[in-house]
Amino acid sequence: MGTEKSQAAGEPATKRQFRIWRGDETGGDLQDYLVEVNEGEVVLDVIHRLQSTDAPDLACRWNCKAGKCGSCSVEINGKPKLACMTRMSTFTEDETISVTPLRTFPIVRDLVTDVSFNYEKARETPAFAPPPGVTPGDYRMQQVDVERSQEFRKCIECFLCQTVCHVIRDHEENKPAFAGPRYFIRAAELDMHPLDTRDDRKEYAQAEQGLGYCNITKCCTEVCPEHIKITDNGIIPMKERVVDRKYDPLVWLGSKIFRRGQVPQTSVTSEHSPGAVHTRAAGPPAVHSHAGGSHDPQAEAQAQAGVNWHREVPRPTAPAVDASGKLPLTELTFDRAAAPSPFGDDVSFPLPPEHLNFAHPEQDKH
């Protein structure tokens, strides 16, 4: 281990052993470098010094150097990290530090990888859908509703959670059907948003984003530089709610009563029930994917081009209204301003009578 005088600070500088991957999409290998390291520096500082001395053609991606842009994602000693947030003081003096590109994504050159997979999944994720006629300046939310989804908005899209997820890290064939942890928490955030009018976020995450592939190993949470509890606060609640909506009749009933914008499912919504309201033209049943609940032709076409979704499933049900356009049933509404939390901690059963408001369909006539 050698030392020499640092001209910048006048303090002794230490030479440290680095092993950095060099190459491109055709191949490459690890190369050894002995690089000067000063007190208080991070791995990105050392890479920049290496670029100015022994390896001027070394390619790496970076931007803010403050842990907020997510650009400098690499794997340091085999673990996905931000180079600008990994201090050299965390390594022992005799330790060789290996720096390699993100393993899950195709290599462009040296430490730069092609992360376009993530942007493709971002485009596939349905965007925030505000209520009709409400402009951004007119949005009104209670603070408790802001706090529910604020944690997931801290994401800097470094894609460390994406690259560490073994579903695609070890199985390239899963990529077409799997969006990854970053977009699961995006779905969870929008599902918590009281102004989002889409009511199929959970179903979409299960059917189109591959939520069922995740077996909650929590590796994504461990590498998150923003300390987002991706698994505990995002993925697990989404999984639980998917199961509840499918199999728990009590939660299903509660969701129909409390969730804003959701119509209670009664006999009038069933195409097989007498007196049901039908809006679809007569004809043979069509092949219909799970994306059809959004009534979005483009989403439907994308789903039909996906993996294992070419099969006939029930079409979206008709509106539960009679010929006059009114709900032919008594309506119960909850006295809270927003949807319940996906964690299920703000609704108790049986329902307290003081929290229910009775509204008869013809009460305006009296």
Side-chain angles (χ1 to χ4, degrees):
M1 195 68 63
T3 60
E4 63 181 28
K5 207 72 172 176
S6 171
Q7 297 179 352
E11 296 292 337
T14 304
K15 290 280 190 175
R16 301 291 295 275
Q17 189 71 38
F18 270 74
R19 182 167 294 166
I20 299 179
W21 195 92
R22 304 297 306 275
D24 54 26
E25 68 276 5
T26 62
D29 57 9
L30 290 167
Q31 296 185 15
D32 292 322
Y33 298 93
L34 197 62
V35 194
E36 175 187 322
V37 175
N38 298 307
E39 184 179 358
E41 289 187 329
V42 295
V43 171
L44 186 59
D45 292 323
V46 179
I47 292 176
H48 285 167
R49 181 172 294 112
L50 187 59
Q51 287 177 320
S52 64
T53 55
D54 297 341
D57 59 340
L58 174 62
C60 74
R61 183 182 283 130
W62 73 284
N63 189 11
C64 74
K65 200 183 175 184
K68 293 302 176 185
C69 73
S71 301
C72 61
S73 300
V74 290
E75 297 193 9
I76 301 174
N77 288 354
K79 185 174 182 179
K81 294 182 178 181
L82 293 179
C84 70
M85 298 299 288
T86 306
R87 295 199 169 275
M88 290 300 302
S89 59
T90 61
F91 306 103
T92 61
E93 291 187 2
D94 59 348
E95 184 175 1
T96 298
I97 299 122
S98 66
V99 184
T100 56
L102 300 178
R103 196 182 98 180
T104 303
F105 308 117
I107 292 174
V108 177
R109 203 185 90 199
D110 298 340
L111 302 179
V112 178
T113 54
D114 180 2
V115 295
S116 59
F117 162 83
N118 302 284
Y119 299 111
E120 292 169 3
K121 295 302 178 181
R123 285 193 293 268
E124 294 173 4
T125 302
F128 170 65
V134 180
T135 60
D138 295 331
Y139 293 166
R140 295 294 181 269
M141 294 172 59
Q142 295 186 4
Q143 184 60 35
V144 64
D145 299 316
V146 175
E147 292 169 354
R148 284 172 182 158
S149 60
Q150 188 65 30
E151 176 186 13
F152 304 134
R153 287 187 169 269
K154 295 192 300 180
C155 175
I156 61 174
E157 296 201 326
C158 60
F159 305 130
L160 295 183
C161 63
Q162 298 285 84
T163 191
V164 80
C165 181
H166 65 277
V167 176
I168 51 178
R169 186 180 179 90
D170 300 328
H171 303 278
E172 183 75 18
E173 68 275 10
N174 287 339
K175 284 187 176 181
F178 188 75
R182 191 275 171 269
Y183 300 104
F184 293 155
I185 64 171
R186 173 63 172 161
E189 176 218 329
L190 292 173
D191 193 48
M192 295 179 197
H193 203 301
L195 294 178
D196 185 71
T197 57
R198 291 187 64 114
D199 57 6
D200 62 345
R201 298 287 181 187
K202 296 171 290 298
E203 292 80 358
Y204 186 87
Q206 175 69 18
E208 305 296 337
Q209 293 183 301
L211 182 63
Y213 282 77
C214 173
N215 56 6
I216 54 177
T217 58
K218 299 190 179 182
C219 51
C220 52
T221 301
E222 292 178 5
V223 301
C224 179
E226 289 294 319
H227 308 292
I228 302 172
K229 295 181 179 178
I230 299 171
T231 311
D232 290 338
N233 292 354
I235 296 176
I236 291 177
M238 288 288 283
K239 280 177 166 285
E240 290 175 343
R241 297 192 76 189
V242 167
V243 173
D244 286 345
R245 293 288 292 273
K246 286 179 176 292
Y247 302 110
D248 190 327
L250 190 59
V251 175
W252 177 86
L253 176 61
S255 69
K256 298 308 176 185
I257 294 176
F258 302 139
R259 286 300 298 269
R260 179 179 299 175
Q262 289 188 353
V263 178
Q265 299 294 305
T266 63
S267 61
V268 296
T269 65
S270 172
E271 295 193 27
H272 303 290
S273 301
V277 180
H278 301 285
T279 58
R280 183 167 58 91
V287 175
H288 176 74
S289 78
H290 287 277
S294 64
H295 304 283
D296 185 347
Q298 183 178 1
E300 176 71 14
Q302 293 175 350
Q304 294 292 357
V307 178
N308 196 30
W309 295 109
H310 286 77
R311 63 179 186 270
E312 183 178 344
V313 298
R315 297 185 63 85
T317 55
V321 296
D322 56 20
S324 64
K326 295 184 177 181
L327 292 174
L329 72 164
T330 298
E331 182 181 8
L332 293 175
T333 59
F334 205 48
D335 66 349
R336 300 184 186 179
S341 163
F343 306 103
D345 57 1
D346 59 350
V347 176
S348 59
F349 295 95
L351 307 175
E354 64 272 14
H355 288 173
L356 294 175
N357 301 318
F358 178 81
H360 192 275
E362 298 184 355
Q363 64 178 6
D364 294 338
K365 295 183 180 179
H366 302 286

